[in-house]
Amino acid sequence: MSQIVCPACKDATVVEVGENPEGVKYFVCSHCRESKRWCSRCDQGWLYKWVDPTTNGVLFNCDECEATWYSIEKVGSNPDFS
Ligand SMILES: [Zn+2]
Ligand SMILES: [Zn+2]
């Protein structure tokens, strides 16, 4: 795989560290510790972690297909919202 540039610190220091949850590739930037996941639904975009300001709940959103999950356990299954 070619080098992945971190959107946070702009260094090509993003490495795959396994699957979390199972079936969803999990990456961490070794420089700034920013983490992200590869979308297993569209296989084209990154999943980013967000905090919903109204509920303070964590959600995960794909920047390509815009699928949204409200818990990490559900990521990779049918999205809660798309
Ligand atoms: Zn980084
Ligand atoms: Zn997607």
Side-chain angles (χ1 to χ4, degrees):
M1 181 181 276
S2 59
Q3 293 214 302
I4 303 165
V5 175
C6 174
C9 67
K10 312 293 184 204
D11 279 342
T13 47
V14 178
V15 290
E16 185 177 346
V17 292
E19 295 186 354
N20 179 343
E22 201 178 335
V24 180
K25 287 180 183 172
Y26 181 51
F27 296 80
V28 174
C29 173
S30 61
H31 187 199
C32 70
R33 315 307 299 175
E34 177 87 0
S35 64
K36 58 185 179 178
R37 291 167 174 85
W38 186 244
C39 183
S40 61
R41 180 173 182 257
C42 66
D43 205 23
Q44 292 179 56
W46 292 108
L47 299 176
Y48 291 100
K49 185 176 174 179
W50 301 92
V51 175
D52 186 332
T54 56
T55 64
N56 265 334
V58 171
L59 55 87
F60 297 86
N61 178 254
C62 173
D63 64 358
E64 277 295 323
C65 68
E66 303 198 333
T68 301
W69 293 270
Y70 292 99
S71 72
I72 188 59
E73 293 80 23
K74 291 183 183 172
V75 169
S77 60
N78 283 334
D80 294 320
F81 176 79
S82 65

